[in-house]
Amino acid sequence: MQPILTVTTPATSLALLTVGEARAALGLTTGARDADLTRAVNRISAAIQRACNLATDGLTPPTLLSETLTDTFRLDWRPAGPLILSRRRVSAINSVVENDEPLVAADYLIDPPSGLFDRLCSDRRSSWPFGKIVVEYVAGFATVPDDLKLAAETWLRMLWRDGYETPAQIADPMLKSEEIPGVLSRTWWVDPTKAEILPEAVRDMLCAGGYIETWVA
């Protein structure tokens, strides 16, 4: 059963790279293009994390970075297995309330990488009861992993090399190049009419790192 997800405390930033890291990736030695870099990093970061198919509350942009979340399950039957939290990479369980009764740490078991959440009884796996289960937890990376930074740097280099090495307004992170003679000819890193939004090299890195969710409805 899919819970109702609420983002209790959003991540302080969605950027996968700092401006300094973006400068270093492009070999820039001054801050003259920092405004362009900030826009590019923000848009690339948003596109990468959206493509990871993360669960969202519909109001807050999805992120792989650490934030506090609340999952509310309303169970009409006793599930045979564990509950599945909306986000993986769980670093803390703040509270669990079962039918208005708070549970203690001995009452449950979390598998942090998968987000599988078991009910315990006498230190043995049990079934969750009918009713309302509310779980507040922290999930996501406190520090952006290097392979995720590499994916963002790879896309940034592609964009900068082919479109933004001279001052320009960065408007479309999918746009590879455009010409004026004839009037205007544009090419994209990916076909904008298709569902795929990532360059193949970036998607391969995200798949290899296990960042793209396949079980989120």
Side-chain angles (χ1 to χ4, degrees):
M1 166 178 279
Q2 284 292 115
I4 297 172
L5 170 64
T6 303
V7 178
T8 309
T9 307
T12 55
S13 171
L14 304 183
L16 300 179
L17 300 171
T18 66
V19 173
E21 288 170 335
R23 274 196 231 116
L26 297 172
L28 301 178
T29 57
T30 74
R33 301 295 304 281
D34 281 1
D36 282 344
L37 282 176
T38 298
R39 286 196 298 273
V41 166
N42 288 344
R43 291 169 185 179
I44 287 170
S45 298
I48 285 175
Q49 292 176 106
R50 180 72 66 180
C52 287
N53 196 31
L54 301 164
T56 176
D57 62 1
L59 300 173
T60 308
T63 181
L64 290 160
L65 305 183
S66 182
E67 54 188 2
T68 303
L69 309 159
T70 299
D71 277 350
T72 301
F73 297 85
R74 294 184 181 276
L75 304 178
D76 297 326
W77 68 92
R78 292 175 68 92
L83 300 177
I84 303 176
L85 299 181
S86 295
R87 298 274 181 86
R88 299 191 292 128
R89 306 175 185 90
V90 177
S91 59
I93 300 292
N94 292 345
S95 65
V96 183
V97 178
E98 178 185 277
N99 291 323
D100 298 326
E101 292 293 329
L103 301 185
V104 298
D107 294 327
Y108 54 81
L109 177 67
I110 179 67
D111 180 56
S114 67
L116 296 179
F117 195 55
D118 279 290
R119 182 69 161 91
L120 296 181
C121 182
S122 299
D123 205 33
R124 301 180 68 178
R125 285 182 170 86
S126 182
S127 297
W128 290 96
F130 297 100
K132 182 180 177 182
I133 313 295
V134 181
V135 185
E136 183 183 271
Y137 60 104
V138 180
F141 296 109
T143 302
V144 182
D146 284 341
D147 57 346
L148 194 53
K149 286 182 180 291
L150 179 60
E153 288 174 351
T154 298
W155 199 351
L156 178 63
R157 288 191 189 102
M158 291 176 180
L159 295 172
W160 203 267
R161 180 190 64 211
D162 289 316
Y164 307 119
E165 286 183 339
T166 56
Q169 184 170 358
I170 299 172
D172 186 351
M174 311 303 168
L175 189 62
K176 180 178 180 181
S177 62
E178 64 180 354
E179 301 174 3
I180 299 296
V183 183
L184 212 56
S185 172
R186 289 175 174 161
T187 58
W188 281 264
W189 285 107
V190 294
D191 184 344
T193 65
K194 296 181 179 179
E196 176 64 76
I197 67 169
L198 297 179
E200 185 176 356
V202 176
R203 174 163 285 277
D204 287 347
M205 291 178 195
L206 296 177
C207 288
Y211 297 114
I212 298 179
E213 304 291 1
T214 58
W215 52 267
V216 177

